[in-house]
Amino acid sequence: MGDSADAMDTALPSHANCFHCGLPVPSGLNLAVRIEGIDQPMCCHGCQAVAAAIVDAGLHSFYAHRVAPSRRAEDLIPAELEQLALYDRDDLQKSFVHRQSDSVREASLMLEGIVCAACVWLNERHVNALPGVIEFRVNYSTHRARLKWDNDVIPLSRVLEAIAAIGYVAHPFDPGRQEVIQRRERSAALRRLAVAGLGAMQVMMLAVALYAGDHYGMDQDIRGFLRWMSLIISLPVVLYSARVFFSAAWRDLRRHRFGMDVPVSLAIALAFFASVWATVAGTGAVYFDSVTMFTFFLLAGRFLEMGARHRVGQVSEELVRLLPEMATRIGAGETRPVPVLELEIGDWVRVRPGDTVPADGRVLEGFSSVDESLLTGESLPLRCAPGSDVVGGAVNVESPLVVEVTAVGGDTVLSSIVRLLDRAQSEKPRIAALADRIAGWFVAVVLLLAAAVFGWWWVHQPADALRVTLSVLVVTCPCALSLATPAAMTAATGQLTRLGLLTTRGHALETLARATHLVLDKTGTLTYGRLRLAAIETLGRMPEESCLAIAAGLETGSEHPVGRALRDASGETLAPVVRIQNTPGQGVSGELDGQRYRLGTETFARSASAVETDLDGDQAGRVWLADDAGVLARFEFDDTVREDAAAAIVQLQDLGLRVCLLSGDGPLRVERVARSVGIAESSGGLLPEDKLARVRALQREGGVVAMVGDGINDAPVLAAAQVSIAMGSGSQLAHASADMILLSERLAHLPQGVRTARKTLAVIRQNLIWALGYNALALPLAAAGWIQPWMAAIGMSLSSLLVVLNALRLKAAPAHDIYPKGEPRRPETRTGMLG
């Protein structure tokens, strides 16, 4: 009989539970839904409607994969359902919806009620089947979803209602609400870790007494008492703390796969029940200490991993908070503060010096400079005048501006960076750990062999069947196999951390060892990110020293980066310039000995002079000094290249890496810096999406890309690269997107990191070969009954110990000095960088 979602009037027993939500079915209520040929009881019309919607959509296999009861339809507040239509309003959508065209829109949603991967599968299948939905993807780790739909075919409220119809709640992403959910998850994980830690400490103290009794002798009653106490203390650890492993292993087994949680759960359960049997029987060995300690260390690792995952989500969400909450809107003859969310395209806003630009816009009045370094990576404040475009999140440096809003909400540059980051993170290549792949097949084979061994001994010698089977499972427990990778990773990351290269992702070292390309950002990565005077070119009758003294005198008291760089270069030699006047966005002028001098843009400097000077067109990072007779000098500014950059690049290239430089700074400056450190490939004037496209192109050619950057504009590229390294002084978002963080900020440590990564991969292979070889040798001996359980436990421990000792060799790896013997360190000079 085929599946049907029709309600059935079948009589049900009074003790039945609702098949959908698990609650008791009221006595006498005869509601049912036919699911896969069976009439399943429902407790209410709401659950009946939800179950019917699932079956009618052809998604009845959801019930076969879920691991927890579904939410009841009544759990949804009716008012929420009524308010879903409000999300169709354009004025509400502008804060979280990006319009790709007149009808195609994209939004970030948060889902509540997700409890397992089956929930993700159900939501994706159900929503993607709706007409008008172009794409719907759910991130199980963060419970966030990306929805792309055709608004002419289906409104957003219909999508939200469809999600509510199958028992989940969807709403526009809200960082505050997400934080509450993550706080609950952290609290639960911390409670499990605390129970496991306390239990492990208590059981270990009892285990010490038992081990001493085995050596010196102990009364049997005392031994039995200590074992029973160990059992009682271990119970909450196994039943509460280790439950997450058992649940994950059960999900894996139901999907006919063997992940690493399967051998972990197998080891915990087998050791515990064998210990319980030994305690009750009063004979044999107990492993309660191993059970509790194993559980504690595994939970500690999972807790740290969860913290890292949460930090990634939280810091990326902080991008939204770069924008201020309030803006000063000008209109109808008045100026008043309004929430940024109320701004609309065409509004006029006033931005005072030091304030953040509230939205993308165009300058209507005022001359100033804006600092867009957080968004573009450009080290110099950008001059702006009427007609100039400014981006939301930039900081106004000098003078008040009146800006006309040209983009708000999801259409701003800042929002586009967030979307690039989300997309790049979701598309990041995931390299499955070699140990995990081997352990999956290994555990399946061991289980089959253990069952066969038990069957043979049960037929021939039933009394020894349990002992021999236990020996087989213990001696082949994949502890060494499970430790092969993390032991090497722990040793290697500890060694790199001492050098100042912090590893934040598990796959980083493995991928870095296979990297073929190294992509560098310029500002803050290859350079220090601090503006300095690079060169002075005299263009008139005055000597260089006098030009510098006058320029520094004109910038007396200025906090502009150019002014600070000029004063730093001149030292104490400041000309006594008087009557200083600042022209925002252009430059500064003043008098010295009756002569008027101007310092600033070329146009401003020559404004009172008819003298034409042959100057090239690359004016970024340059200012001019002139008097009434003509231009006197040109000052060039740039970052200071890190002193170890050139030597580090040489060593990276010697390791076989193809090094290239991508930057948002001017192309000529980028080329000069690249040439000075020996980089043959460089590109300047790139936006974040341009950098991302370059990395994607290298990956399509088969390259394994390692990216080094520091700013928010680098975050999408860092997330897209197979392995990414952020500078220690970089933004929080760069840190969250990166797989490694160069805390020392010494580029010298990059080639050392590559060497360590390659050696780590070799040690992991050695560990895996040993672990598999040991099991291949010990398994037949245990199956033949020649190995007792206690011998198997010792063999398993020794196997694990050897793996750890081999991994510890990585901690003894010698550090390589970036400067060869006899070669002096490069001095830091103003002109050395330009070559």
Side-chain angles (χ1 to χ4, degrees):
M1 187 174 185
D3 292 344
S4 173
D6 296 335
M8 308 295 295
D9 294 328
T10 307
L12 298 169
S14 59
H15 59 78
N17 291 331
C18 178
F19 184 75
H20 181 73
C21 72
L23 296 179
V25 176
S27 178
L29 185 64
N30 298 327
L31 297 175
V33 174
R34 183 172 293 275
I35 301 174
E36 295 188 339
I38 301 176
D39 295 336
Q40 301 292 357
M42 301 290 158
C43 67
C44 62
H45 290 281
C47 285
Q48 182 192 44
V50 172
I54 292 174
V55 174
D56 288 343
L59 305 175
H60 50 266
S61 55
F62 162 72
Y63 291 109
H65 295 297
R66 65 175 182 169
V67 295
S70 305
R71 293 171 59 101
R72 300 178 67 228
E74 278 71 12
D75 289 339
L76 299 174
I77 303 174
E80 289 184 355
L81 295 177
E82 294 175 0
Q83 292 173 1
L84 293 181
L86 296 177
Y87 291 125
D88 294 334
R89 291 170 45 179
D90 290 339
D91 57 340
L92 288 181
Q93 286 191 4
K94 69 179 182 181
S95 63
F96 66 93
V97 172
H98 169 61
R99 298 192 179 191
Q100 296 186 344
S101 65
D102 292 339
S103 61
V104 177
R105 304 183 181 185
E106 185 177 1
S108 178
L109 305 176
M110 188 167 73
L111 295 180
E112 295 185 41
I114 299 291
V115 295
C116 65
C119 301
V120 174
W121 173 85
L122 171 64
N123 277 276
E124 289 184 342
R125 289 286 300 273
H126 183 66
V127 175
N128 280 314
L130 297 174
V133 172
I134 300 172
E135 184 181 28
F136 183 72
R137 291 189 300 175
V138 181
N139 187 320
Y140 176 52
S141 298
T142 61
H143 298 177
R144 289 175 61 176
R146 301 292 300 181
L147 171 67
K148 185 186 296 185
W149 78 101
D150 187 337
N151 200 61
D152 290 344
V153 179
I154 184 172
L156 178 59
S157 61
R158 287 270 305 280
V159 178
L160 302 181
E161 289 172 3
I163 296 173
I166 55 175
Y168 299 87
V169 177
H171 51 79
F173 174 69
D174 179 4
R177 201 164 180 176
Q178 178 86 337
E179 185 178 354
V180 172
I181 296 173
Q182 291 180 348
R183 191 182 300 120
R184 288 201 299 263
E185 185 181 0
R186 282 195 301 269
S187 298
L190 194 58
R191 286 194 298 270
R192 288 192 294 267
L193 183 62
V195 170
L198 291 173
M201 288 188 291
Q202 300 302 318
V203 172
M204 280 302 297
M205 289 190 294
L206 297 175
V208 170
L210 287 171
Y211 292 147
D214 291 339
H215 186 72
Y216 296 105
M218 177 181 288
D219 184 78
Q220 192 64 30
D221 291 339
I222 298 297
R223 184 188 305 278
F225 173 75
L226 294 178
R227 288 187 171 192
W228 277 104
M229 288 299 298
S230 299
L231 189 156
I232 293 172
I233 297 174
S234 300
L235 270 176
V237 177
V238 174
L239 298 181
Y240 175 69
S241 296
R243 185 177 60 188
V244 289
F245 303 127
F246 297 132
S247 299
W250 179 239
R251 286 198 299 267
D252 287 339
L253 292 173
R254 292 183 66 175
R255 291 169 178 78
H256 310 292
R257 60 183 295 268
F258 296 98
M260 287 303 294
D261 279 319
V262 173
V264 165
S265 301
L266 180 65
I268 294 174
L270 187 60
F272 179 74
F273 286 114
S275 301
V276 171
W277 175 80
T279 301
V280 174
T283 183
V286 294
Y287 311 101
F288 293 118
D289 54 337
S290 300
V291 169
T292 54
M293 292 299 291
F294 194 33
T295 302
F296 172 72
F297 285 125
L298 284 172
L299 286 174
R302 296 287 178 91
F303 182 79
L304 294 176
E305 179 186 352
M306 179 193 67
R309 174 169 55 86
H310 285 181
R311 283 194 299 274
V312 170
Q314 290 170 354
V315 177
S316 62
E317 291 148 19
E318 288 294 329
L319 270 176
V320 181
R321 298 184 179 126
L322 281 178
L323 295 178
E325 294 184 358
M326 304 294 291
T328 303
R329 184 163 61 188
I330 304 172
E334 62 176 356
T335 300
R336 62 188 182 91
V338 297
V340 170
L341 292 177
E342 292 185 7
L343 291 179
E344 298 180 355
I345 294 176
D347 283 350
W348 290 16
V349 295
R350 185 181 301 280
V351 185
R352 294 185 295 269
D355 284 355
T356 301
V357 180
D360 292 358
R362 184 174 294 106
V363 176
L364 297 178
E365 299 176 9
F367 296 85
S368 185
S369 298
V370 293
D371 182 2
E372 297 183 357
S373 58
L374 288 176
L375 298 169
T376 66
E378 172 59 55
S379 54
L380 296 173
L382 302 178
R383 297 185 179 95
C384 57
S388 301
D389 292 328
V390 292
V391 298
V395 178
N396 184 17
V397 177
E398 296 167 348
S399 302
L401 295 173
V402 175
V403 177
E404 180 184 6
V405 175
T406 57
V408 294
D411 296 325
T412 61
V413 171
L414 187 62
S415 296
S416 68
I417 293 179
V418 174
R419 284 194 301 274
L420 282 174
L421 176 61
D422 287 344
R423 188 173 298 115
Q425 286 178 335
S426 66
E427 295 173 356
K428 171 176 275 190
R430 298 179 181 271
I431 303 174
L434 182 60
D436 202 6
R437 295 195 295 268
I438 296 175
W441 291 102
F442 180 78
V443 172
V445 172
V446 167
L447 287 174
L448 293 175
L449 289 176
V453 168
F454 179 82
W456 190 93
W457 281 92
W458 184 258
V459 171
H460 295 85
Q461 284 183 252
D464 294 329
L466 181 59
R467 175 185 63 81
V468 174
T469 304
L470 182 60
S471 296
V472 169
L473 288 170
V474 172
V475 81
T476 57
C477 182
C479 292
L481 192 61
S482 301
L483 283 171
T485 298
M489 296 291 290
T490 300
T493 53
Q495 174 72 0
L496 290 176
T497 300
R498 283 191 292 274
L499 288 175
L501 183 57
L502 179 66
T503 304
T504 61
R505 299 290 193 277
H507 74 92
L509 288 180
E510 179 187 357
T511 313
L512 183 61
R514 299 187 299 103
T516 59
H517 296 71
L518 183 74
V519 177
L520 292 163
D521 180 45
K522 184 182 81 71
T523 305
T525 301
L526 202 59
T527 67
Y528 286 104
R530 297 190 297 268
L531 199 63
R532 46 151 272 183
L533 180 61
I536 303 175
E537 183 179 356
T538 57
L539 302 170
R541 63 193 179 282
M542 190 174 292
E544 178 180 311
E545 294 78 9
S546 299
C547 291
L548 178 58
I550 294 174
L554 286 167
E555 292 287 359
T556 301
S558 172
E559 290 303 316
H560 193 282
V562 168
R564 289 196 296 267
L566 286 170
R567 292 198 304 273
D568 291 342
S570 65
E572 300 297 327
T573 309
L574 300 179
V577 180
V578 297
R579 295 186 179 87
I580 297 175
Q581 294 181 352
N582 179 44
T583 304
Q586 298 294 318
V588 62
S589 61
E591 290 185 10
L592 176 66
D593 297 332
Q595 176 65 50
R596 192 76 180 171
Y597 294 93
R598 289 171 301 282
L599 178 72
T601 65
E602 179 190 358
T603 302
F604 174 76
R606 295 196 296 108
S607 59
S609 170
V611 178
E612 295 292 335
T613 307
D614 186 17
L615 300 171
D616 62 65
D618 183 21
Q619 300 185 12
R622 296 180 177 183
V623 297
W624 282 259
L625 175 69
D627 60 11
D628 292 338
V631 177
L632 300 174
R634 178 176 61 195
F635 301 90
E636 297 189 3
F637 300 87
D638 212 328
D639 283 346
T640 303
V641 175
R642 297 180 187 272
E643 64 175 8
D644 58 352
I649 297 302
V650 169
Q651 291 204 18
L652 289 167
Q653 291 170 341
D654 289 343
L655 289 170
L657 290 170
R658 178 178 158 191
V659 182
C660 54
L661 177 62
L662 303 180
S663 175
D665 281 5
L668 293 180
R669 277 188 291 159
V670 173
E671 183 180 355
R672 286 197 297 267
V673 171
R675 189 169 57 250
S676 71
V677 296
I679 297 178
E681 300 180 50
S682 64
S683 297
L686 301 179
L687 297 174
E689 51 265 35
D690 299 327
K691 296 182 182 180
L692 186 60
R694 297 293 182 91
V695 169
R696 295 289 192 213
L698 293 175
Q699 291 171 333
R700 283 194 298 270
E701 295 172 1
V704 178
V705 178
M707 171 70 190
V708 187
D710 76 311
I712 286 179
N713 64 305
D714 295 322
V717 194
L718 288 169
Q722 281 96 331
V723 62
S724 50
I725 304 171
M727 302 299 288
S729 62
S731 67
Q732 280 190 316
L733 182 62
H735 290 176
S737 302
D739 304 310
M740 308 178 81
I741 301 175
L742 189 58
L743 297 175
S744 68
E745 298 202 348
R746 284 196 61 195
L747 297 179
H749 293 151
L750 290 178
Q752 296 181 33
V754 175
R755 294 189 189 96
T756 301
R758 293 177 179 178
K759 187 172 182 179
T760 301
L761 205 57
V763 169
I764 290 175
R765 292 193 184 102
Q766 295 166 5
N767 285 348
L768 291 174
I769 292 173
W770 160 253
L772 292 174
Y774 158 77
N775 283 298
L777 177 64
L779 179 58
L781 297 177
W786 295 348
I787 297 180
Q788 298 295 323
W790 64 270
M791 297 170 62
I794 293 176
M796 179 186 67
S797 300
L798 287 177
S799 176
S800 301
L801 181 60
L802 286 175
V803 165
V804 173
L805 290 176
N806 186 42
L808 289 178
R809 294 191 301 114
L810 291 167
K811 299 184 69 174
H816 297 269
D817 191 357
I818 190 68
Y819 297 98
K821 292 183 179 180
E823 180 180 327
R825 294 177 181 265
R826 295 177 62 203
E828 183 177 323
T829 63
R830 283 205 302 262
T831 58
M833 175 183 61
L834 297 177

